[in-house]
Amino acid sequence: SEMSDKKRPVYVQYLLGGLSGIGATCVVQPLDLVKTRMQISGMGGAAKEYNNTFDAIGKIVRREGLFAMYKGLSAAIMRQATYTTTRLGVYTSLNDTYKQKTNKTPNLLILMGMGMTAGAVGSFVGNPSELILIRMTADGRLPVAERRNYTGFFNALFRIAREEGVLSLWRGCVPTMGRAMVVNAAQLASYSQAKAYLVSSQLLQEGIGLHFTASMISGLITTAASLPVDIAKTRIQNMKVGPGEQPPYKSTIDVIIKVTRHEGIFALWKGFTAYYGRLGPHTVLTFILLEQLNGLYNKHIMGVEGSKSGL
């Protein structure tokens, strides 16, 4: 390839990945908050708080004000800075290395393996910020006396470490890594596959239109595959367990069984619209930003035309 004479430093992949994630998050944070709220509502057979995504947005804005939609933005940005940076960096590095070593494009299984690896590593690194994000976005719906009232990301980080021990920052780390492996295997592999298919069947040429379509397809597949694992993660991380109490859920499988039994099988896909509404654009924005940043970097810093993004 035209890049072989000059190789980009490895950290560039990580930097561009992180920036793409942060840019996308600033746009979709409100939808993420709505999704978390909807997944928690109706827990333990309580009455459902919101009828649908739009009802939820209306109620949150009315009760808590417009800026409530951006609660936890600092945590969301930190999550992108840790999780997305690692996951996109690991994935594009693995992908590049594979292409260089074998001179072949990786097939679907290998892509999924790379996605899973990237997801597992990224989510382990990102778990503390993920936990803080869920707590900050869920805080507004607790009665005033029970609110955790973290003032910001670092305040939450130090308080959790002090009040609950450092290791509790990795609470829910297994379901989070499980979800990340599902999400990334689905998201990254389906994006790479969809892109290859659209180009080879001559439906679209390299460019934003291609990146947009491939990301939308990738977002749909990912949403369907990962929502059940996601609701488990949300409910486990949001559990309030007093001393000597039985936690409401023991594991991911336990959540899935209980939700199916008490709330019906389709409850596993609660908040589908909010989730796809968030994941679709987030996937699209992340991938488009990543492809654009790669193109700019290649052109202005490497002095090479053409986009080679490692995706």
Side-chain angles (χ1 to χ4, degrees), residues 43-222:
M43 186 167 157
K48 272 184 28 188
E49 233 174 314
Y50 313 112
N51 301 328
N52 55 45
T53 301
F54 301 105
D55 176 52
I57 294 174
K59 280 183 180 153
I60 293 168
V61 172
R62 265 204 312 282
R63 288 178 198 157
E64 303 170 46
L66 189 61
F67 286 110
M69 301 289 281
Y70 273 99
K71 261 201 198 111
L73 183 67
S74 63
I77 286 178
M78 286 304 295
R79 174 170 176 263
Q80 292 301 323
T82 50
Y83 167 70
T84 303
T85 303
T86 316
R87 124 192 128 97
L88 291 175
V90 169
Y91 182 74
T92 43
S93 303
L94 286 173
N95 212 335
D96 275 349
T97 313
Y98 183 89
K99 283 177 187 157
Q100 271 162 5
K101 289 238 160 67
T102 61
N103 270 328
K104 286 205 297 275
T105 321
N107 63 28
L108 183 61
L109 273 173
I110 292 170
L111 285 174
M112 286 174 77
M114 291 177 185
M116 282 179 141
T117 311
V121 178
S123 70
F124 184 77
V125 175
N127 199 80
S129 44
E130 171 94 44
L131 178 100
I132 292 170
L133 176 66
I134 287 212
R135 290 186 173 191
M136 283 171 89
T137 43
D139 214 28
R141 56 179 285 287
L142 289 172
V144 178
E146 284 179 37
R147 284 189 194 169
R148 297 181 170 118
N149 291 325
Y150 300 131
T151 53
F153 180 79
F154 290 103
N155 169 263
L157 186 71
F158 293 125
R159 270 185 51 195
I160 294 171
R162 205 174 50 236
E163 293 163 16
E164 305 168 46
V166 174
L167 284 182
S168 68
L169 286 164
W170 274 271
R171 192 159 117 190
C173 154
V174 176
T176 306
M177 285 168 80
R179 168 183 172 274
M181 287 165 83
V182 173
V183 167
N184 286 289
Q187 188 185 46
L188 298 168
S190 64
Y191 178 75
S192 297
Q193 278 297 101
K195 214 168 109 175
Y197 170 76
L198 290 165
V199 171
S200 67
S201 57
Q202 287 172 339
L203 289 166
L204 289 164
Q205 269 125 20
E206 178 62 50
I208 285 200
L210 170 71
H211 305 156
F212 177 80
T213 315
S215 324
M216 287 308 273
I217 296 169
S218 159
L220 250 164
I221 292 172
T222 313

Side-chain angles (χ1 to χ4, degrees), residues 206-264:
E206 178 62 50
I208 285 200
L210 170 71
H211 305 156
F212 177 80
T213 315
S215 324
M216 287 308 273
I217 296 169
S218 159
L220 250 164
I221 292 172
T222 313
T223 303
S226 66
L227 250 182
V229 206
D230 189 71
I231 191 167
K233 181 183 76 74
T234 300
R235 292 209 175 174
I236 287 171
Q237 287 183 328
N238 198 53
M239 289 189 308
K240 277 199 130 166
V241 187
E245 280 180 39
Q246 276 300 85
Y249 304 112
K250 286 195 280 294
S251 64
T252 303
I253 308 292
D254 190 42
V255 177
I256 291 174
I257 293 168
K258 281 185 177 151
V259 168
T260 308
R261 197 183 300 138
H262 300 305
E263 303 168 49

